[in-house]
């Protein structure tokens, strides 16, 4: 009973310090925290003036308002290339042939259903990154020699697929301090039917589920100075949070840049992200990644026919990039509800917002004018954090260690069930509910997780209702 006022007092001191810092060091970043749970003018507009006003199953499908006429036309063409299936070469459908020889899926939209999340329970959108110890010349993971950087379970005719996987779960039931039970399920991955021999004994495997792709152009346009301001790699302020920027090699600029995309923030730009996914997931070559995804021992893969060089031309690739760059973010729901506002206050007071940063203003350097100078509320700092051994994949990715993951943006969280029909969360979909996702947190988030657990049932439900409003 006496903990809450003390917590609020300590939080107020912390809040004052951060606000002063924010005001004096970075005018584009608002770290103010509304500990009283009051409505903040415009907080329902997750993407500011570019917010989408749709709460239906199509809420993730819309282009941001305010784009130019030719950008609207290219959006629809990019949508087509994103969602329609690619076919094997040679084919009369020359603009869409060349899938494989090895691939995970036939269309980008299969893993990002309705521009939302994959469905791990039917193995749709779940893939496995592979590497061996060490790092390449730019700090990137070293691919597994026989299978490359990603397991491709499918292949074109005449080529062996790389193998299959099975996911099984072990349930463990725990109790909150008030006696309420909750269950966490731990996944176990089994690989069968290897197409090219055994992986190296020291191979590292990381499961990744396709995530919702809303607001990516706005994230790309967040100022690097804002990310630098938020980073505290060595926890100099002593709050237990030591997020860092995952500096990665960007194939477009040929320089090292802050990673922003992917579960470990291992990609810096959307052209790189899009071209990399075309090759890694579909086996479609681009001007940026022009070699088929075959390892030196995969002779059948190397000899398979292709769909041209490259298999998607630059103009069409650019339209897909524009498509993912201009997908909008839906408006919040129930944002004035008393319980939601209470949940927001608790969310802030137990320290969740230390990583789930609520508000930024984008920069002014995007080639799409509508993405410039927009006040957004993604609820992420886009840094990588130690999330503890429970979520660790043990596979480093550039500067991100095997324990570290990027803070997942929370905008759109409450609409995943509406759009995709499930609430399977975290990097591999192991969490079936928001509560489970919270209780999987560890490492730098251990304190906030424990504080959430110590709340009353009504207070926990208020936090959940707030998160469902995002």
């Amino acid at each position: 009973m006496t903990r809450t006022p003390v917590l609020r007092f300590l939080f107020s001191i912390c809040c004052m310090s951060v606000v002063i810092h924010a005001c004096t060091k970075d005018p584009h970043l608002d770290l103010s925290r509304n500990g009283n749970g009051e409505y903040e003018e415009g907080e329902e507009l997750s993407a500011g003036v570019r917010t989408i006003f749709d709460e239906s199953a199509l809420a993730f499908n819309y282009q941001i308002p305010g784009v130019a006429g030719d950008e609207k036309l290219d959006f629809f063409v990019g949508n087509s290339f994103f969602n329609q299936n690619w076919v094997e070469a040679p084919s009369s459908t020359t603009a869409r042939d060349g899938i494989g020889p090895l691939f995970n899926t036939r269309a980008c939209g299969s893993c990002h259903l309705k521009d939302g999340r994959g469905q791990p329970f039917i193995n749709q959108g779940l893939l496995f990154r592979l590497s061996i110890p060490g790092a390449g010349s730019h700090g990137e993971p070293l691919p597994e020699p026989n299978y490359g950087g990603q397991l491709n379970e499918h292949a074109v005719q005449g080529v062996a697929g790389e193998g299959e996987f099975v996911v099984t779960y072990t349930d463990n039931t725990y109790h909150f301090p008030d006696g309420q039970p909750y269950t966490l399920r731990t996944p176990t991955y089994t690989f069968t039917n290897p197409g090219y021999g055994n992986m190296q004994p020291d191979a590292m495997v990381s499961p990744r589920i396709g995530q919702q792709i809303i607001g990516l152009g706005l994230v790309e346009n967040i100022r690097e100075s804002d990310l630098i301001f938020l980073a505290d790699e060595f926890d100099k302020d002593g709050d237990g949070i030591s997020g860092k920027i995952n500096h990665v090699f960007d194939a477009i600029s040929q320089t090292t840049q802050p990673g922003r995309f992917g579960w470990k923030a291992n990609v810096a730009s959307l052209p790189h992200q899009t071209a990399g996914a075309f090759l890694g997931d579909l086996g479609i070559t681009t001007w940026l990644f022009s070699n088929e995804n075959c390892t030196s021992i995969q002779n059948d893969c190397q000899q398979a026919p292709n769909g041209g060089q490259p298999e998607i031309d630059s103009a069409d690739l650019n339209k897909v990039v524009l498509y993912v760059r201009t997908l909008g973010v839906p408006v919040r729901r129930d944002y004035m509800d008393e319980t939601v506002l209470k949940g927001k206050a608790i969310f802030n007071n137990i320290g969740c917002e230390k990583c789930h940063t609520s508000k930024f203003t984008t920069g002014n350097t995007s080639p799409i004018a509508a993405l410039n100078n927009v006040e957004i509320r993604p609820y992420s700092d886009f840094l990588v954090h130690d999330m503890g051994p429970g979520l660790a994949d043990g596979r480093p990715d550039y500067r991100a260690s095997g324990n570290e993951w990027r803070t997942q943006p929370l905008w759109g969280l409450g609409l995943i069930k509406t759009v995709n029909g499930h609430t399977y969360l975290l990097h591999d979909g192991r969490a079936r509910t928001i509560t489970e996702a919270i209780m999987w947190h560890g490492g730098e988030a251990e304190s906030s997780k424990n504080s959430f657990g110590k709340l009353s049932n009504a207070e926990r439900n208020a936090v959940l209702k707030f998160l469902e409003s995002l």
Side-chain angles (χ1 to χ4, degrees):
M1 295 296 289
T2 59
R3 183 177 62 255
T4 300
V6 173
L7 186 62
R8 287 178 177 168
F9 172 76
L10 292 174
F11 170 77
S12 298
I13 298 298
C14 177
C15 181
M16 290 173 59
S17 173
V18 172
V19 170
I20 291 170
H21 193 185
C23 292
T24 55
K25 293 294 184 64
D26 194 331
H28 312 295
L29 189 64
D30 184 353
L31 293 178
S32 62
R33 294 170 180 157
N34 193 339
N36 295 322
E38 298 174 353
Y39 168 71
E40 178 190 353
E41 185 69 28
E43 70 173 89
E44 70 274 22
L45 304 176
S46 297
V49 297
R50 306 306 178 199
T51 299
I52 301 297
F53 291 88
D54 188 288
E55 303 172 15
S56 73
L58 299 177
F60 294 169
N61 293 152
Y62 295 94
Q63 188 176 34
I64 60 170
V67 298
D70 56 340
E71 293 166 344
K72 294 179 182 177
L73 178 60
D74 288 349
F75 179 85
F76 286 104
V77 177
N79 183 4
S80 171
F81 276 96
F82 188 88
N83 284 295
Q84 291 190 11
N85 284 351
W86 287 74
V87 300
E88 294 184 19
S91 169
S92 58
T93 312
T94 56
R96 298 180 190 276
D97 73 345
I99 191 168
L102 295 164
F103 59 98
N104 295 107
T105 183
R106 291 185 177 274
C108 307
S110 298
C111 296
H112 304 282
L113 187 64
K114 298 179 185 177
D115 301 312
R117 294 177 65 84
Q119 305 184 78
F121 45 87
I122 58 172
N123 290 346
Q124 187 171 38
L126 181 64
L127 56 80
F128 295 86
R129 294 285 171 81
L130 310 174
S131 61
I132 58 175
S137 58
H138 299 295
E140 73 277 14
L142 292 176
E144 203 284 333
N146 289 353
Y147 291 88
Q150 183 169 309
L151 184 75
N152 293 127
E153 63 266 39
H154 302 300
V156 300
Q157 297 180 61
V159 177
E162 292 188 319
E164 301 169 354
F165 65 88
V166 176
V167 187
T168 56
Y169 296 97
T170 302
D171 285 354
N172 292 289
T173 299
Y174 305 90
H175 292 83
F176 293 115
D178 64 5
Q180 289 289 319
Y182 65 94
T183 302
L184 301 182
R185 59 175 190 169
T186 302
T188 299
Y189 305 104
T190 304
F191 299 92
T192 61
N193 301 320
Y196 300 93
N198 294 327
M199 294 185 195
Q200 287 203 4
D202 55 357
M204 296 176 285
V205 178
S206 179
R208 313 280 176 92
I209 191 76
Q211 51 188 305
Q212 62 269 34
I213 55 174
I214 56 176
L216 298 186
L218 296 164
V219 174
E220 187 180 45
N221 203 24
I222 291 174
R223 292 175 171 86
E224 181 178 353
S225 60
D226 288 347
L227 303 180
I228 293 172
F229 177 81
L230 289 171
D232 185 20
E233 182 172 351
F234 303 105
D235 193 20
K236 292 182 178 178
D237 62 7
D239 68 350
I241 308 296
S242 53
K244 69 184 181 188
I245 296 173
N246 190 11
H247 291 287
V248 301
F249 181 73
D250 179 49
I252 298 293
S253 64
Q254 295 288 299
T255 61
T256 298
Q257 298 289 329
R260 300 165 186 259
F261 305 107
W263 286 101
K264 291 212 175 212
N266 62 345
V267 181
S269 68
L270 289 175
H272 181 147
Q273 173 75 20
T274 306
F278 262 119
L279 183 65
D281 301 350
L282 280 72
I284 300 296
T285 58
T286 63
W287 71 268
L288 191 59
F289 301 116
S290 57
N291 296 321
E292 296 285 4
N293 201 15
C294 308
T295 66
S296 61
I297 70 162
Q298 293 172 335
N299 295 324
D300 54 355
C301 178
Q302 296 174 28
Q303 295 170 10
N306 63 58
Q309 295 177 327
E311 291 167 326
I312 180 171
D313 65 34
S314 298
D316 289 334
L317 174 64
N318 289 339
K319 290 167 186 168
V320 179
V321 173
L322 181 136
Y323 175 73
V324 299
R325 185 174 267 159
T326 60
L327 278 170
V329 182
V331 67
R332 286 182 57 196
R333 288 80 49 213
D334 303 322
Y335 50 89
M336 297 283 281
D337 181 273
E338 183 179 348
T339 304
V340 169
L341 291 172
K342 178 182 178 182
K344 180 179 72 172
I346 298 172
F347 177 88
N348 294 338
N349 288 345
I350 63 176
C352 302
E353 209 207 25
K354 290 180 178 178
C355 299
H356 289 285
T357 306
S358 61
K359 189 161 58 177
F360 295 84
T361 298
T362 63
N364 56 8
T365 59
S366 174
I368 298 173
L371 296 171
N372 291 328
N373 301 311
V374 182
E375 185 175 276
I376 61 174
R377 291 173 171 80
Y379 282 89
S380 172
D381 59 10
F382 301 98
L383 305 176
V384 292
H385 295 269
D386 181 351
M387 294 300 292
L391 290 176
D393 65 355
R395 178 181 181 271
D397 201 333
Y398 289 96
R399 297 187 70 233
S401 74
N403 278 25
E404 292 177 321
W405 300 92
R406 184 194 69 158
T407 305
Q408 182 69 357
L410 299 180
W411 55 10
L413 174 64
L415 281 174
I416 291 174
K417 185 174 183 179
T418 301
V419 172
N420 296 125
H422 67 83
T423 54
Y424 290 83
L425 303 173
L426 297 177
H427 64 280
D428 53 6
R430 69 177 66 185
R432 292 161 292 191
T433 64
I434 296 175
T435 297
E436 289 185 18
I438 293 172
M439 298 312 293
W440 269 110
H441 282 51
E444 298 172 36
E446 184 76 19
S447 177
S448 293
K449 177 192 72 174
N450 291 338
S451 295
F452 175 79
K454 293 175 182 176
L455 297 172
S456 69
N457 191 47
E459 290 171 326
R460 286 197 298 271
N461 287 334
V463 174
L464 298 177
K465 194 165 183 178
F466 162 66
L467 292 170
E468 289 168 353
S469 79
L470 296 177

